Amino acid sequence: GENVEQHPSTLSVQEGDSAVIKCTYSDSASNYFPWYKQELGKRPQLIIDIRSNVGEKKDQRIAVTLNKTAKHFSLHITETQPEDSAVYFCAASSKQAGTALIFGKGTTLSVSS
Amino acid sequence: GAVVSQHPSWVICKSGTSVKIECRSLDFQATTMFWYRQFPKQSLMLMATSNEGSKATYEQGVEKDKFLINHASLTLSTLTVTSAHPEDSSFYICSAGGTSGYEQYFGPGTRLTVT
């Protein structure tokens, strides 16, 4: 089955800096790659996603890149703010729409002002 | 749109008792729902896939006789933790995927504490 590796496990940046989180996946059939932000005790919140037919997607300060050949995808946050501090998870799902998400182990991002 | 609810939001039970958690899609029909478990400071681990009108598919290592899943309608899936033990204490989250896309919609989660 699918296995998703995520790095780093913790990331500390200064306000205004950029943050990059990287994930690799094992199943070449995976075709949907979302990123979630989770605050303590809350449900995961989708912040951006990308499908395998696209190499990059951007939404204001957040961008995701996908390299299908290398089976890795990355989250880029620019101009970080203290409110970006949270745990971020990458995930992957394979085959047709509606299949289960397999999550990476998460990255705790701390943005200090 | 695409709202998923869970009930209860938190529950405390004694060791050996059973607890039922409900997951509802409020404004869409969900042929498939998923159950995840999240221990403190860990990731979401898929427990099982719940399909309306058929038996759930459990992930390796998840005891199907302990975690009973029923998906009796297109808007409701239930997870029953039978004979709960302290090690079952965790955050249980369900999600539902609509038929129109890849995105999944998460419930708010249920915090289970077994004493």
Side-chain angles (χ1 to χ4, degrees):
Chain A
E2 176 65 276
N3 182 51
V4 178
E5 298 284 340
Q6 182 172 348
H7 298 280
S9 57
T10 60
L11 180 59
S12 297
V13 299
Q14 291 286 323
E15 182 177 3
D17 288 350
S18 295
V20 180
I21 303 171
K22 299 181 178 182
C23 287
T24 59
Y25 61 99
S26 61
D27 189 348
S28 57
S30 289
N31 56 4
Y32 176 62
F33 308 93
W35 285 89
Y36 293 90
K37 176 182 181 182
Q38 188 181 33
E39 297 178 351
L40 193 62
K42 302 285 182 65
R43 78 186 88 192
Q45 177 188 6
L46 179 69
I47 57 172
I48 196 167
D49 57 9
I50 192 168
R51 297 190 191 182
S52 60
N53 58 347
V54 176
E56 184 173 357
K57 184 177 178 181
K58 188 173 182 180
D59 182 5
Q60 299 183 357
R61 298 187 296 110
I62 295 173
V64 56
T65 58
L66 171 65
N67 183 325
K68 285 177 56 179
T69 302
K71 287 192 266 186
H72 66 69
F73 55 113
S74 300
L75 176 70
H76 304 253
I77 305 175
T78 59
E79 300 173 23
T80 53
Q81 302 166 2
E83 50 265 39
D84 293 328
S85 297
V87 181
Y88 291 81
F89 292 99
C90 63
S93 70
S94 61
K95 300 177 183 177
Q96 68 276 15
T99 54
L101 292 168
I102 304 302
F103 286 84
K105 292 191 174 182
T107 297
T108 300
L109 173 64
S110 299
V111 182
S112 54
S113 57
Chain B
V3 178
V4 176
S5 70
Q6 270 183 253
H7 179 81
S9 56
W10 60 270
V11 58
I12 301 173
C13 71
K14 292 186 182 296
S15 185
T17 62
S18 296
V19 173
K20 180 185 285 188
I21 302 170
E22 294 186 346
C23 176
R24 294 182 185 271
S25 56
L26 299 185
D27 52 2
F28 68 103
Q29 293 183 329
T31 55
T32 304
M33 291 183 172
F34 304 97
W35 287 95
Y36 296 86
R37 179 168 55 181
Q38 186 176 32
F39 292 109
K41 298 187 178 182
Q42 293 189 24
S43 185
L44 286 81
M45 297 298 295
L46 179 66
M47 298 178 66
T49 300
S50 171
N51 297 297
E52 186 268 336
S54 64
K55 290 183 178 180
T57 303
Y58 292 82
E59 294 299 298
Q60 191 172 9
V62 178
E63 301 174 57
K64 62 180 180 180
D65 294 331
K66 180 173 181 63
F67 299 98
L68 302 180
I69 292 172
N70 184 278
H71 194 156
S73 76
L74 287 172
T75 59
L76 173 64
S77 176
T78 60
L79 168 67
T80 301
V81 183
T82 63
S83 187
H85 289 101
E87 56 265 31
D88 299 322
S89 299
S90 188
F91 192 49
Y92 292 86
I93 308 176
C94 69
S95 72
T99 56
S100 60
Y102 290 81
E103 185 173 349
Q104 289 189 27
Y105 307 99
F106 286 88
T110 296
R111 174 74 59 192
L112 170 63
T113 300
V114 184
T115 61

